[in-house]
Structure formats: C-alpha cells, structure tokens
Amino acid sequence: MDTKPTEISSSKMFGGFNKRYKHFSPTLGCSMTFHIYFPPSPQSLSKKFPVLYWLSGLTCSDENFITKSGAQRAASSESVALIVPDTSPRGLNVEGEADSWDFGVGAGFYLNATQEKWKNWRMYDYVVKELPNLVKENFPQLDTSRASISGHSMGGHGALTIYLKNLDKYKSASAFAPIVNPTNCPWGQKAFTNYLGGNKADWEEYDATNLVAKFRDVSATILIDQGEDDKFLADQLMPHKFQEACKAANVPLLLRMQPGYDHSYYFIATFIDDHISHHAQALNLP
C-alpha cells in the first residue's frame, strides 16, 4: 500500500496549479484523494507558502471546493496554499454506508468514531495528524507550521472544533454556514448516535458551542458567514447558539448574517476572498 501521495491530475489556474493526489491512508484504512492549490512560486525559492485547510460539507468530496469556490484567485494573490481533503473514507463497503446522504460516505463529521461498525471513520485524526504529516514530508514548498482552517456546513463544524481543540496548530479559523451545535440538531444527533454511541458527554467533545467554553485562548477572531435565506438555518445550523457561547467565554467572533444568500457554493464564492484575506493576515504575522 503506497502511503506516499501520487499526483493524478494538474490544472493551471491564476498562475498556480490545482493538483489532485491519491494515497493510502493508514488512519482510515483505504485510499484517499486530496487537492492542493499551489500559488505561483515566489521569486525567492527559500520562501515557503503557509497553508489553509478547507473542510467540505455533506455529500462533498475533495473536488467541490476546488471546482466551485473560486478561492484560487485570492489564494494566488495572497500566496496561501489550499489543502482540501475528502469528507470520509471511501470504498470500505460497510453495510449501510451509502444508505443516506447525511451519514456514512461523504459524511464523516470530522470525528473519530468509537462504534465498532464505523471504526474506520477517523476523519479527525486524518485531518489533524495524518494529512499535515503527509504534506510536511512530501511538499517542502509548504510550511505546515503556519496553518489555518476553514470549511462549510459539516466542514464548518469540523474547522471550528478542530481549531478549538488544537489552538497551537492553527493560526485562525473561519466557516460558512457551520453546524455549530450538532448535539442539538438532527444532522448531528443522527451522526453522533451512530459514530459515537449514546453517551452525550462524548458528543460534546465535537460540538463547537460546548468546546468554546473550555478552549478560550483564541487570539485571532473567528469569522463566520451565514446566509439568511439558508433553508437549514433554523433547525440545523443555529449560529446564534455559538455566538452566545463565544460571548460568554469572551472569545472573539465576527458573525456576518448575509441577506438573501442560501447554503450553496454561490454563497461561498461570493465571500471566499474575505476568508482568504482573513487567514492570510493571521498566517503572515511574525
């Protein structure tokens, strides 16, 4: 099994390159793909690019963001590399893994499952440990010690929870329409029951609204954009719960409610440049 990444596609964009890689993941027990957008090479070859991890939402793969967000324009001009993993293990043929769009394949929820049936669903360890090590070992032009994290919906949940639990590893975090309180919404309750079992205390370890009270040492403001016409706003996303928790914990948050916008990549593409510059600022601090 080749754990070293193999390039499977490359496309030039805004002077840099979208490259897709395949590798065997020991963490997940299957082959995985991921994308990296490399900005144009700097004049000084000794300069390394900081990295921004993007975690995608339900049903997505590593391709959606790269194809639809237009993030490469700002990433190119800000000299930030984009690293985009998939959203779950694939090809394991666990019974029921593809029965519903909001659980199993394409719905890893960026946690480490504890239930035997789903034991390969360890996207938390994959994103926090395996992927950064893989990047560090194989792409010397990237500086994984200067990293930030962002994501959409389920991936926004991933970005916020991973950031809060690893403040030493990431300079900043942002999210689009994140699932901020999964213990109290249908998507989260379904996923957590199956992946983590019935103990609600285990669920809280993957709930940004609960975690922010514990991990308060946030230096960079957390940026969240949320469309006001998002059909999932009231029953699944509930950003105001996270806003209240941040206020109580004295954690800096900029929550921007965007009138007329929905849950789609049209919304993400509209505001992605703000997020890239938000992270570039944090990543380039001395």
Side-chain angles (χ1 to χ4, degrees):
M1 297 289 186
D2 195 1
T3 55
K4 201 174 165 63
T6 307
E7 184 180 314
I8 52 176
S9 70
S10 177
S11 304
K12 190 170 185 180
M13 190 175 186
F14 296 113
F17 284 89
N18 297 312
K19 290 182 180 284
R20 194 181 197 197
Y21 298 92
K22 187 173 189 174
H23 74 110
F24 180 80
S25 164
T27 305
L28 305 173
C30 64
S31 283
M32 293 293 284
T33 52
F34 64 91
H35 268 90
I36 300 180
Y37 175 71
F38 296 92
S41 292
Q43 303 304 315
S44 147
L45 292 176
S46 61
K47 185 177 182 285
K48 293 183 167 195
F49 297 117
V51 301
L52 173 60
Y53 294 94
W54 173 271
L55 306 182
S56 295
L58 290 165
T59 74
C60 289
S61 70
D62 57 307
E63 295 185 279
N64 303 66
F65 181 75
I66 289 293
T67 310
K68 296 180 176 179
S69 72
Q72 294 91 334
R73 185 197 302 267
S76 172
S77 62
E78 296 278 10
S79 294
V80 172
L82 305 173
I83 302 177
V84 187
D86 203 345
T87 54
S88 77
R90 291 184 193 266
L92 291 166
N93 299 319
V94 174
E95 187 205 347
E97 68 174 20
D99 286 359
S100 53
W101 63 274
D102 56 358
F103 178 77
V105 169
F109 273 86
Y110 306 101
L111 47 72
N112 290 334
T114 55
Q115 301 306 290
E116 180 62 24
K117 182 176 179 181
W118 304 103
K119 63 179 185 286
N120 290 74
W121 267 248
R122 300 181 62 79
M123 288 301 293
Y124 179 91
D125 276 358
Y126 179 75
V127 169
V128 175
K129 298 172 183 173
E130 184 180 337
L131 189 58
N133 286 336
L134 192 76
V135 169
K136 187 178 180 181
E137 287 166 15
N138 293 282
F139 304 103
Q141 67 273 52
L142 304 183
D143 181 1
T144 53
S145 71
R146 288 189 298 147
S148 291
I149 192 163
S150 184
H152 170 231
S153 196
M154 175 184 74
H157 142 76
L160 295 174
T161 53
I162 285 170
Y163 174 65
L164 290 168
K165 287 166 47 157
N166 300 275
L167 291 169
D168 56 326
K169 286 190 172 78
Y170 304 96
K171 306 290 186 194
S172 52
S174 74
F176 288 82
I179 304 170
V180 294
N181 193 198
T183 58
N184 288 312
C185 79
W187 281 338
Q189 290 164 348
K190 176 178 178 176
F192 288 3
T193 301
N194 285 287
Y195 291 137
L196 302 173
N199 183 357
K200 300 283 170 72
D202 296 337
W203 297 12
E204 291 180 0
E205 290 303 306
Y206 297 104
D207 185 309
T209 298
N210 288 307
L211 290 171
V212 81
K214 284 193 216 174
F215 302 103
R216 304 176 177 205
D217 193 20
V218 174
S219 48
T221 298
I222 297 170
L223 172 62
I224 294 178
D225 275 313
Q226 171 64 59
E228 287 186 355
D229 281 16
D230 187 325
K231 66 182 178 184
F232 304 115
L233 177 58
D235 61 334
Q236 300 280 15
L237 305 174
M238 307 176 288
H240 299 294
K241 294 259 183 90
F242 186 65
Q243 186 178 39
E244 287 159 17
C246 285
K247 194 174 177 185
N250 210 19
V251 165
L253 169 70
L254 176 58
L255 170 61
R256 306 193 305 186
M257 300 300 295
Q258 303 290 4
Y261 287 92
D262 60 15
H263 198 68
S264 72
Y265 266 90
Y266 300 120
F267 159 59
I268 295 170
T270 303
F271 299 105
I272 192 66
D273 288 13
D274 290 351
H275 288 245
I276 304 281
S277 59
H278 171 77
H279 294 299
Q281 195 177 353
L283 289 164
N284 290 318
L285 288 173

